[in-house]
Amino acid sequence: MSPSLSVQDAGFLALALLFNTFTAPAVKLTQNPSGGYDYNKYCIYFIAEMIKLSVAGGWSIWKYQTDREMQRVMRVTQRDILQYAIPGFVFFAQNNLSFVALQHMSNAAFQLLLNMRIVAVALLTVTVLGKSLNKVKWFAIVLLTNGAVQYQLSDCSAGGGALKTSAEGLAVMAVIIVCAAGGNVATQLVMQTSMDQPLMFQNSILYSWGVLLNGFNWWRSVMVSSADAAAVPWFGNLTSSALFLCLFSAVYGLSISVILKRFGSLTRTFISTVAIVFNAVLDWLFFGESLGALEVTTFLTIFAAIFLFTILGDEWDKAERARNELAASLEPPLLKGEAGALSSSGGGSSTSSSAEAATSSSSSSSAEGGGTAAAVEDGVDTSEASSPLIRRD
């Protein structure tokens, strides 16, 4: 563990990875024997958003009433409401467009193309957030994408489904990828713009939009249905596993908000990709799935990308800073040498002028001709900068 990574930060990262890993198993536990769902999945999303809003809103009210210092920053403006609507709507669009995309492509093709969001997050991090990524980190991002895509392809080669798509499906997937990346980057942007505001206060605004938009989806799933389709219940059969999924999804969402504010969207993307490895291991241990040599190589590729990004990438940044500082520290002596040469020539001219003036003028004119050159020195700060193991965007 890096000295710059506190125990608290490491705990947040570990919890986010844990919840991300167990998301798929938690959903599988709610499936019926035929692989379907006996409940309305839209009500699960709505209930989870309500739990998150209750936790964030309750904490915000308590903090506002007990901490006078927080009352100054815990003020909701029209700008806050509107800017948090952007990530809320982007995630809402992503979830709904996923159903449209799956009508025009196979599930294997959908999962494969969705991995392109890794590169999209990196591009938006540079263009929207103004962060810089060196060559090593860009290579790590490409390698991470390759590992995720390779894992999906290994599933296809093992009979996991054919890669079938269409032009319409590809167009919808392009929008989904932008939404998936843009939602994380937009959330990071609005949260980190007001770092003095408590996270739970910011979550209260964001989850209010989540309740509104997911509530609309829930109502739409029941009220707007085709005539030949079976009636969709408001709740369906909400078993204990389904209710656990609601609670699990809420806690998972809260943990992700911590990652986005403290570390950024790129770290959140890496966590999601690492969860692929842990999900595969869980499927192998508890669901009878097989792990072959191809899957193992994808895991090695993913971990190599993480090593490149977090270790070698930061070392590259440190080397660049040290090289720039060294170049800056070498510039002042060169300037002083040039100034000294100019002073020497200037002093010689002054002395010869003073000698010539002494033959025809008084001693006061000679005193005026013999000036001394002043040395100019520039101070340079060569303090060494440090770089954390896991950079916060």
Side-chain angles (χ1 to χ4, degrees):
M1 183 183 300
S2 170
S4 60
L5 183 65
S6 66
V7 176
Q8 184 183 47
D9 288 345
F12 284 136
L13 292 171
L15 284 176
L17 178 59
L18 178 68
F19 287 120
N20 210 320
T21 301
F22 281 93
T23 297
V27 175
K28 287 183 179 181
L29 288 176
T30 65
Q31 293 178 339
N32 54 35
S34 61
Y37 304 97
D38 297 327
Y39 56 84
N40 187 337
K41 59 180 176 294
Y42 291 104
C43 82
I44 299 293
Y45 301 147
F46 177 80
I47 295 174
E49 290 294 323
M50 281 296 300
I51 294 174
K52 292 191 292 185
L53 179 59
S54 300
V55 172
W59 185 94
S60 299
I61 294 174
W62 170 78
K63 198 67 175 178
Y64 185 84
Q65 293 178 344
T66 58
D67 192 340
R68 291 185 177 274
E69 293 295 328
M70 285 295 176
Q71 294 179 4
R72 178 180 57 84
V73 295
M74 294 177 65
R75 298 182 182 274
V76 182
T77 64
Q78 183 179 5
R79 179 183 177 184
D80 292 330
I81 297 174
L82 294 178
Q83 69 180 2
Y84 279 97
I86 297 175
F89 179 78
V90 167
F91 287 127
F92 170 77
Q94 175 193 346
N95 294 333
N96 284 274
L97 287 175
S98 298
F99 296 102
V100 179
L102 288 170
Q103 293 176 351
H104 298 279
M105 64 176 60
S106 63
N107 182 63
F110 177 84
Q111 295 296 334
L112 181 68
L113 293 172
L114 190 59
N115 290 307
M116 294 299 105
R117 73 185 187 275
I118 300 173
V119 178
V121 168
L123 291 173
L124 290 178
T125 298
V126 173
T127 57
V128 177
L129 300 180
K131 307 293 183 181
S132 61
L133 297 175
N134 59 48
K135 297 177 182 178
V136 175
K137 292 189 175 182
W138 273 115
F139 179 73
I141 290 169
V142 173
L143 191 63
L144 186 72
T145 305
N146 175 74
V149 169
Q150 185 181 352
Y151 179 77
Q152 295 297 332
L153 289 176
S154 68
D155 184 58
C156 294
S157 63
L163 296 175
K164 298 179 180 179
T165 185
S166 63
E168 294 85 355
L170 291 175
V172 176
M173 275 304 303
V175 179
I176 291 176
I177 291 170
V178 173
C179 290
N184 287 314
V185 172
T187 304
Q188 176 186 349
L189 180 62
V190 297
M191 284 186 170
Q192 292 185 350
T193 300
S194 303
M195 290 297 290
D196 56 335
Q197 290 184 339
L199 175 61
M200 286 300 180
F201 175 73
Q202 295 175 322
N203 280 338
S204 300
I205 307 174
L206 179 62
Y207 297 152
S208 297
W209 283 105
V211 168
L212 178 63
L213 295 173
N214 283 281
F216 171 78
N217 248 3
W218 186 21
W219 172 85
R220 180 175 169 272
S221 68
V222 176
M223 305 302 295
V224 182
S225 58
S226 58
D228 55 346
V232 178
W234 282 99
F235 293 96
N237 183 20
L238 284 180
T239 61
S240 57
S241 59
L243 294 176
F244 171 77
L245 178 61
C246 296
L247 180 61
F248 180 89
S249 300
V251 178
Y252 170 61
L254 289 169
S255 68
I256 290 301
S257 68
V258 176
I259 298 301
L260 287 174
K261 182 166 185 176
R262 295 178 69 92
F263 301 98
S265 52
L266 269 178
T267 302
R268 189 255 191 274
T269 302
F270 269 81
I271 290 175
S272 300
T273 310
V274 174
I276 292 176
V277 180
F278 289 91
N279 277 325
V281 174
L282 287 177
D283 289 341
W284 174 63
L285 290 175
F286 299 105
F287 296 99
E289 299 290 341
S290 60
L291 285 179
L294 186 58
E295 285 83 358
V296 174
T297 58
T298 63
F299 302 159
L300 295 177
T301 302
I302 291 173
F303 285 121
I306 296 172
F307 175 77
L308 284 174
F309 192 90
T310 59
I311 306 297
L312 296 186
D314 285 345
E315 290 298 324
W316 182 284
D317 285 335
K318 290 176 65 176
E320 285 290 329
R321 284 195 294 268
R323 186 160 45 247
N324 293 335
E325 290 173 358
L326 179 60
S329 65
L330 293 177
E331 287 180 1
L334 294 177
L335 292 177
K336 286 191 292 184
E338 294 174 0
L342 293 175
S343 298
S344 299
S345 61
S349 300
S350 177
T351 303
S352 60
S353 299
S354 177
E356 293 175 357
T359 60
S360 59
S361 305
S362 64
S363 59
S364 61
S365 299
S366 175
E368 292 176 357
T372 58
V376 179
E377 295 183 0
D378 295 328
V380 179
D381 182 10
T382 58
S383 60
E384 183 177 349
S386 61
S387 174
L389 176 63
I390 300 180
R391 292 170 57 84
R392 298 184 183 179
D393 294 334

